[in-house]
Amino acid sequence: MGIIGTIIIGLLAGIVAKFLMPGRDPGGFIITILLGIAGAFVATYLGQAVGWYRAGEGAGFIGAVVGAVIILAIYRMIAGRSRAV
């Protein structure tokens, strides 16, 4: 259930990240959810590297939300620059 669980947690984390960071997203709601899934994978990888999670254990919901918010903020900065050019 490792990868599937991470995707489900990421999906929920993307939805929560969208509500925590309101405003116009360059990609819309679907991109925000995909970024949430990516945030869950990043949180899982970093958590395992730091030692918070064992191998095969996914990130918790809070870690996934934090990862999703960070990736969403980076995405907004990058996408905002490309529109300004």
Side-chain angles (χ1 to χ4, degrees):
M1 175 97 176
I3 291 177
I4 304 264
T6 301
I7 290 172
I8 292 170
I9 294 292
L11 175 81
L12 297 173
I15 293 169
V16 171
K18 175 65 178 166
F19 289 117
L20 289 177
M21 294 185 66
R24 288 191 50 126
D25 284 330
F29 197 71
I30 299 297
I31 297 297
T32 304
I33 290 173
L34 292 175
L35 292 173
I37 292 170
F41 277 105
V42 167
T44 298
Y45 174 75
L46 291 177
Q48 289 175 357
V50 173
W52 292 339
Y53 308 118
R54 293 182 303 244
E57 184 179 28
F61 183 71
I62 294 173
V65 169
V66 170
V69 167
I70 290 170
I71 289 180
L72 181 59
I74 292 169
Y75 176 73
R76 283 184 180 181
M77 286 190 302
I78 291 170
R81 281 190 203 151
S82 65
R83 285 187 178 201
V85 172

